[in-house]
Amino acid sequence: MRSTILDIAREAGVSPATVDRVLNNRPGVKLRTKQVVLAAAQKLDYSAEIDSGPVAVNPGRIRLHFALPAGSNAFISTFRRQIEILAAARPELDVSVMMIEGFSPDSLARTLRELEGRTDGVGVIALDHPTVREAIRSLAASGVKVATVVSDISHVPRTAYIGIDNRAAGRLAGYLLSRFIGARPNAKVALLAGSLSYRGHEEREMGFRHILKEEFQSIEIVEIREMLDDQDRAYSEAAALLEKHPDLAGIYNVGAGSMGIGKALKDRNLQSSIVFVGHDATEDTKPLLLDGTMDAAIDQNPRVEARETLNILTHAVRGLPYEGHPPRLQVIFKENIPEF
């Protein structure tokens, strides 16, 4: 006997009206419900009569998307690689990674809006910007689970934030830099950031400033420069900084671009006289740690962040509780560089 809409409704646990909307590709049904209905229809051999468009792709699997900033950031590359490795071992997941122009909130917001009706969950490293916040609100309102990763977003209905405490990371950087500089009177330090439009970078700067004001008042922050996590720009900004402040005692790199900063220091033979603290143990920072150009890197373990994001989004889509295990801050020196 030919299956009916009532049969599909009973199998899927939804109303006949919902089945009718799905089979005729009408709006107003959450993506996960569509997938359940389509799976039930195919189980009952009704699939030949379905005209469901893009929602029929991989029925029954949880579809996740990651929106990450494009560019030469070694940490982002490592994070992406970990997502792909971990997702490949989970057949219940269909994971796609999209690389977005790193510092364009409009491009990111447009991409997030285009995901409505096409995904169950989204992990995003995002600029804290009004257009991005509105896109996340719209995405969440459509039933998609959203997790912010590495850098949080304020006042949005996200499922979770997966990442380190960036303010604590900034305080840790200030403590390390100050201890390395020691009792040098009236020491000058500078900050280099990818973009302070990332809330995470802004929080690191805030934590750095606060601990210097509280515990190391003899150290003066003379400048902060943005380099958009680009190695060439990092080199030129660091070179200009060193030219302007020949008595500089230390540099704190809030984001990526450490290779460019390291090259600027080595070109001027300053790698032994200026304290350099940055973030993330990557293939870029490893040689700088080994040759002493970089004194310490504050790591956040991209493998843990990738694993936790996949777990949190998967459980949220299924409506199941999940007790997360957030990444911890770890200081990496020359002597404890981890395997990559």
Side-chain angles (χ1 to χ4, degrees), residues 244-290:
K244 184 176 179 181
H245 301 282
D247 56 345
L248 198 68
I251 292 175
Y252 170 37
N253 180 22
V254 175
S258 288
M259 280 183 61
I261 299 169
K263 185 175 186 301
L265 289 170
K266 286 189 276 191
D267 284 353
R268 291 154 183 80
N269 199 29
L270 295 172
Q271 67 270 31
S272 298
S273 57
I274 293 181
V275 177
F276 179 20
V277 173
H279 281 266
D280 303 318
T282 66
E283 293 293 352
D284 285 357
T285 56
K286 180 179 178 179
L288 298 176
L289 289 165
L290 287 172

Side-chain angles (χ1 to χ4, degrees), residues 22-23 25 31 33-39 41-42 47-61 63 94 117-119:
V22 172
L23 298 183
N25 205 23
L31 177 60
T33 302
K34 290 179 181 179
Q35 292 176 333
V36 170
V37 170
L38 291 171
Q42 291 182 343
S47 57
E49 301 161 42
I50 298 172
D51 179 20
S52 54
V55 296
V57 176
N58 297 318
R61 297 177 73 192
R63 186 163 176 79
D94 182 1
R118 296 176 47 215
T119 190

Side-chain angles (χ1 to χ4, degrees), residues 60-133:
R61 297 177 73 192
I62 295 175
R63 186 163 176 79
L64 303 178
H65 284 77
F66 284 80
L68 309 181
S72 59
N73 188 322
F75 169 80
I76 299 299
S77 298
T78 304
F79 180 62
R80 176 181 182 173
R81 186 167 63 252
Q82 290 297 331
I83 291 169
E84 293 170 343
I85 291 170
L86 294 171
R90 300 182 60 169
E92 79 278 16
L93 300 182
D94 182 1
V95 177
S96 299
V97 179
M98 303 171 298
M99 306 306 292
I100 315 299
E101 183 183 345
F103 298 93
S104 171
D106 291 339
S107 295
L108 176 58
R110 183 167 56 252
T111 299
L112 293 176
R113 290 185 181 278
E114 289 172 353
L115 287 174
E116 293 184 22
R118 296 176 47 215
T119 190
D120 296 310
V122 173
V124 58
I125 298 177
L127 300 168
D128 193 351
H129 187 275
T131 60
V132 176
R133 290 195 293 269

Side-chain angles (χ1 to χ4, degrees), residues 27-28 32 41 52 131 179 211 217 229 306 315 318 330:
R32 186 61 186 154
S52 54
T131 60
R179 295 291 291 179
I211 196 168
Q217 296 179 11
D229 284 345
H315 281 72
R318 289 173 171 166
Q330 182 180 10

Side-chain angles (χ1 to χ4, degrees), residues 16-332:
T18 298
V19 175
D20 180 71
R21 285 197 293 273
V22 172
L23 298 183
N24 290 285
N25 205 23
R26 297 192 185 103
V29 184
K30 291 182 179 180
L31 177 60
R32 186 61 186 154
T33 302
K34 290 179 181 179
Q35 292 176 333
V36 170
V37 170
L38 291 171
Q42 291 182 343
K43 180 179 179 181
L44 297 172
D45 293 327
Y46 199 96
S47 57
E49 301 161 42
I50 298 172
D51 179 20
S52 54
V55 296
V57 176
N58 297 318
R61 297 177 73 192
I62 295 175
R63 186 163 176 79
L64 303 178
H65 284 77
F66 284 80
L68 309 181
S72 59
N73 188 322
F75 169 80
I76 299 299
S77 298
T78 304
F79 180 62
R80 176 181 182 173
R81 186 167 63 252
Q82 290 297 331
I83 291 169
E84 293 170 343
I85 291 170
L86 294 171
R90 300 182 60 169
E92 79 278 16
L93 300 182
D94 182 1
V95 177
S96 299
V97 179
M98 303 171 298
M99 306 306 292
I100 315 299
E101 183 183 345
F103 298 93
S104 171
D106 291 339
S107 295
L108 176 58
R110 183 167 56 252
T111 299
L112 293 176
R113 290 185 181 278
E114 289 172 353
L115 287 174
E116 293 184 22
R118 296 176 47 215
T119 190
D120 296 310
V122 173
V124 58
I125 298 177
L127 300 168
D128 193 351
H129 187 275
T131 60
V132 176
R133 290 195 293 269
E134 284 305 309
I136 291 176
R137 289 173 186 140
S138 178
L139 197 57
S142 74
V144 175
K145 305 301 180 182
V146 180
T148 54
V149 189
V150 178
S151 183
D152 204 3
I153 301 288
S154 59
H155 308 301
V156 294
R158 57 167 175 70
T159 298
Y161 162 65
I162 301 98
I164 59 173
D165 181 335
N166 283 298
R167 189 173 185 276
R171 289 182 63 88
L172 179 57
Y175 179 82
L176 289 168
L177 197 76
S178 301
R179 295 291 291 179
F180 274 117
I181 289 172
R184 194 183 311 182
N186 303 315
K188 297 179 180 179
V189 299
L191 286 83
L192 289 167
S195 172
L196 296 179
S197 295
Y198 280 115
R199 182 175 171 182
H201 287 196
E202 185 180 33
E203 288 172 344
R204 290 176 187 178
E205 180 206 357
M206 179 173 63
F208 184 84
R209 289 183 180 276
H210 281 188
I211 196 168
L212 293 193
K213 183 177 180 180
E214 292 166 10
E215 299 187 24
F216 304 98
Q217 296 179 11
S218 64
I219 295 178
E220 177 190 2
I221 300 173
V222 293
E223 279 201 48
I224 179 167
R225 293 171 177 248
E226 291 182 297
M227 55 188 176
L228 305 182
D229 284 345
D230 177 79
Q231 301 291 356
D232 292 335
R233 181 160 177 174
Y235 177 84
S236 61
E237 291 291 349
L241 183 69
L242 296 170
E243 183 72 23
K244 184 176 179 181
H245 301 282
D247 56 345
L248 198 68
I251 292 175
Y252 170 37
N253 180 22
V254 175
S258 288
M259 280 183 61
I261 299 169
K263 185 175 186 301
L265 289 170
K266 286 189 276 191
D267 284 353
R268 291 154 183 80
N269 199 29
L270 295 172
Q271 67 270 31
S272 298
S273 57
I274 293 181
V275 177
F276 179 20
V277 173
H279 281 266
D280 303 318
T282 66
E283 293 293 352
D284 285 357
T285 56
K286 180 179 178 179
L288 298 176
L289 289 165
L290 287 172
D291 68 16
T293 302
M294 177 179 277
D295 295 279
I298 300 170
D299 194 54
Q300 56 184 316
N301 199 327
R303 185 180 187 281
V304 171
E305 290 177 329
R307 182 198 69 203
E308 289 301 296
T309 306
L310 289 172
N311 287 342
I312 286 170
L313 286 174
T314 300
H315 281 72
V317 170
R318 289 173 171 166
L320 300 174
Y322 178 74
E323 183 178 351
H325 300 82
R328 297 178 179 177
L329 289 172
Q330 182 180 10
V331 182
I332 305 299

